[in-house]
Amino acid sequence: MTGSLTIVGLGPGSPELMTPAASSALCQATDLVGYATYLARVPIVEGQTRHASDNRVELDRARHALALASEGRRVVVVSSGDPGVFAMAAAVFEAIESGEAAWRALDVRVEPGVTAMLAAAALAGAPLGGDFCAISLSDNLKSWDTIERRLQAAATADFVIALYNPASQSRPHQLTRTFELLRQWKAGSTIVLFVRAAGSTDARLNITTLAEASAAAADMRTMVIIGSSTTRLITREGAIPSVYTPRSEISRP
Ligand code: SAH
């Protein structure tokens, strides 16, 4: 039997936001590999083996999954959101590139998922209506200098900026520093969104401005979206305001 490896995105939280293709890959697996918190979101299928591992050892986990697949198992590696966005899919390809020659012959597929940025944006309205970019504030895998350079480039190019990993226990000051930097280039009135647990039943949206934004509003399950100069808010009677970025940046006569 030829083994296979599918890297599956579970979506941001609620089962309704998992794609049917992801569910079907999960059902067909003989082995599931991933962080215990994500595996806990996968319905139990009898006869499947679960390999839970710590979140910090992505490359080891990828190698373990590839070794199982080369023994002929149908392996699924799970990620939250989309597996290609700051997650396991790139780690698997990195492991293939630097690993055993036989791993290149394996049937490897990526099954996309709804990434946190999209679930968070949908809750607020349409803040990603214009050009946007995504930056991870985690400096585990890149230097803080690189992050600051990208923040400046994104801010001065007037992108909407979606921040993944805004807070970490080891470095709680990253988001405070990010807001300080962005205030140099962007207006204090720029809309800032904090969305916690987007795409799940306990999702929470907090709308503020860059002048008022405080890092204390974010934790590891929060997505921060910083508007462009055209991102705006519509107040609506009896409902939370809607935030959107107009499609058009052309001023018409
Ligand atoms: N692959 C994931 C992202 C992994 S990085 C995806 O595509 O969504 C982890 C970061 O994603 C978290 O620190 C947080 O910033 C964000 N995140 C993940 N799930 C989230 C959710 N349900 N709501 C808000 N942010 C979330």
Side-chain angles (χ1 to χ4, degrees):
M1 171 173 132
T2 321
S4 67
L5 177 57
T6 309
I7 310 118
V8 166
L10 300 177
S14 96
E16 288 80 33
L17 290 181
M18 194 192 295
T19 68
S23 298
S24 138
L26 289 167
C27 285
Q28 286 161 25
T30 57
D31 295 73
L32 298 181
V33 175
Y35 183 40
T37 314
Y38 303 151
L39 285 178
R41 285 170 47 192
V42 179
I44 302 280
V45 172
E46 217 169 305
Q48 266 179 354
T49 310
R50 291 177 174 230
H51 309 262
S53 55
D54 183 88
N55 208 14
R56 288 192 172 269
V57 286
E58 281 195 349
L59 209 52
D60 288 347
R61 201 187 313 149
R63 291 194 186 105
H64 176 49
L66 285 158
L68 287 169
S70 59
E71 287 165 16
R73 321 278 303 169
R74 263 192 320 279
V75 184
V76 164
V77 174
V78 297
S79 269
S80 79
D82 181 273
V85 178
F86 307 123
M88 279 303 294
V92 168
F93 290 110
E94 200 179 328
I96 291 174
E97 191 177 25
S98 62
E100 294 175 21
W103 289 353
R104 295 191 185 216
L106 287 170
D107 172 14
V108 177
R109 278 188 309 122
V110 179
E111 211 51 83
V114 176
T115 189
M117 174 181 71
L118 300 183
L123 192 64
L128 307 177
D131 292 339
F132 62 87
C133 68
I135 298 177
S136 166
L137 285 194
S138 166
D139 59 357
N140 284 341
L141 302 169
K142 63 190 169 190
S143 73
W144 182 253
D145 276 355
T146 298
I147 296 171
E148 289 203 357
R149 204 160 30 81
R150 291 190 183 148
L151 286 169
Q152 175 169 12
T156 53
D158 202 21
F159 282 107
V160 173
I161 307 169
L163 297 176
Y164 284 80
N165 297 306
S168 85
Q169 274 146 357
S170 52
R171 287 260 206 140
H173 307 300
Q174 289 157 328
L175 188 57
T176 303
R177 173 76 182 139
T178 297
F179 289 141
E180 272 169 24
L181 285 171
L182 293 180
R183 285 183 195 117
Q184 294 176 31
W185 306 297
K186 293 172 79 72
S189 57
T190 303
I191 290 176
V192 175
L193 308 171
F194 291 86
V195 188
R196 186 168 194 283
S200 74
T201 46
D202 38 60
R204 222 174 47 216
L205 167 66
N206 169 0
I207 306 172
T208 183
T209 61
L210 185 55
E212 304 267 307
S214 155
D219 66 5
M220 284 301 283
R221 279 198 80 199
T222 305
M223 186 84 217
V224 180
I225 298 180
I226 295 139
S228 72
S229 61
T230 61
T231 304
R232 63 195 71 199
L233 184 146
I234 313 172
T235 51
R236 296 187 302 132
E237 200 138 325
I240 54 163
S242 297
V243 174
Y244 82 106
T245 306
R247 301 285 319 280
S248 173
E249 299 190 35
I250 303 164
S251 46
R252 295 198 172 83

